[in-house]
Amino acid sequence: MLVRRLHTVNYLLAKVIPNDLKGRKKSSQEWLTRQLNDPYVEKAKMMNYRCRSAFKLLEIDQKYNLIKPGFTVIDCGAAPGSWSQIAVKQSNADGASPGKPKGMVIGIDLLQIYPIEYAITLGNMDFTKQELQDKIHSLLGERRIDCVLSDMAPNATGVRALDHENIITLCYSVLRFALLMSTPNASLLMKVWDNGEVPVLEKNIQRYYQHVRRIKPRASRSDSAENFILGRGFVGIKR
Ligand SMILES: C[S@@+](CC[C@H](N)C(=O)[O-])C[C@H]1O[C@@H](n2cnc3c(N)ncnc32)[C@H](O)[C@@H]1O
């Protein structure tokens, strides 16, 4: 009996090797194998999140209470949409908690975003462009932003230095936007790829946010250079 149970456990723990790998590139074979063996991929499907990234934001939000009912949240690099799904719930943009203030969520991506209930989605848009930021400004009206999220990542070129430069450029674009549009005490969460420029970026964020820390959520793959910088307690800027 015990032996049979052990066999079953071993079977369940065995690495799943997809059977339709023929003709695919090595990187695509590795990606497929990793997806099939990733518990967060399965969990995301079960919980109706659009991708596994959901668990990175959930972990950070649970620990730091980042998004509260009534918050205005901007989600940069929102496709396919799991962070915006979470932001809608946590900010009560869906009005699911009638006694609590209703939030607002705007998600932006270079890619098309399949509509997300109760969120405003701006697909096929480049966050770094001034026209797009002006559009967000007009959608906000009198509202100021309580939380800026960025899970944006540029397409990797394979040239490390160039990839690092590209993500840092995105981060500074997010920081500049957050400084101009956030309400005092707001938060900022942005993805970075660990590289020599990150400490300087962190120092710059520290000039405007009271608490700044670097986070590697459990759902972030250990072999990836991905980290998140969280800034809380925006002190405002002199205009
Ligand atoms: C890791 S995915 C985001 C996943 C998302 N947080 C979710 O939970 O569904 C990164 C996204 O950043 C987007 N992105 C990269 N550069 C961008 C830019 N300049 N403007 C808008 N989106 C951008 C990519 O198109 C990609 O969809």
Side-chain angles (χ1 to χ4, degrees), residues 51 53 77-83 108-111 125-128 151-154 170 191:
C51 65
S53 309
S82 73
W83 280 27
I108 305 105
D109 205 286
L110 278 178
L111 304 176
M125 304 265 192
D126 184 344
F127 176 77
T128 62
D151 195 17
M152 281 194 293
L170 283 177
K191 173 154 83 187

Side-chain angles (χ1 to χ4, degrees), residues 68 72 94 105 132 143 214:
K68 298 183 188 150
T72 299
D94 55 0
V105 177
L132 180 272
R143 276 180 178 258
R214 196 116 53 108

Side-chain angles (χ1 to χ4, degrees), residues 133-213:
Q133 298 189 7
D134 291 344
K135 190 172 173 72
I136 298 176
H137 199 179
S138 68
L139 285 169
L140 288 174
E142 294 297 301
R143 276 180 178 258
R144 304 291 287 177
I145 298 167
D146 300 288
C147 183
V148 175
L149 305 172
S150 170
D151 195 17
M152 281 194 293
N155 282 332
T157 63
V159 181
R160 252 174 106 87
L162 191 57
D163 291 341
H164 287 166
E165 193 183 315
N166 289 342
I167 195 161
I168 289 291
T169 305
L170 283 177
C171 290
Y172 276 105
S173 171
V174 174
L175 176 60
R176 179 184 171 278
F177 171 82
L179 298 184
L180 293 172
M181 311 278 277
S182 294
T183 188
N185 220 24
S187 303
L188 166 67
L189 177 69
M190 62 166 76
K191 173 154 83 187
V192 291
W193 288 333
D194 210 4
N195 70 71
E197 293 296 318
V198 176
V200 183
L201 171 66
E202 253 171 336
K203 281 228 158 60
N204 280 315
I205 297 177
Q206 275 161 2
R207 292 169 58 193
Y208 303 101
Y209 291 81
Q210 284 169 350
H211 312 283
V212 177
R213 59 175 61 232

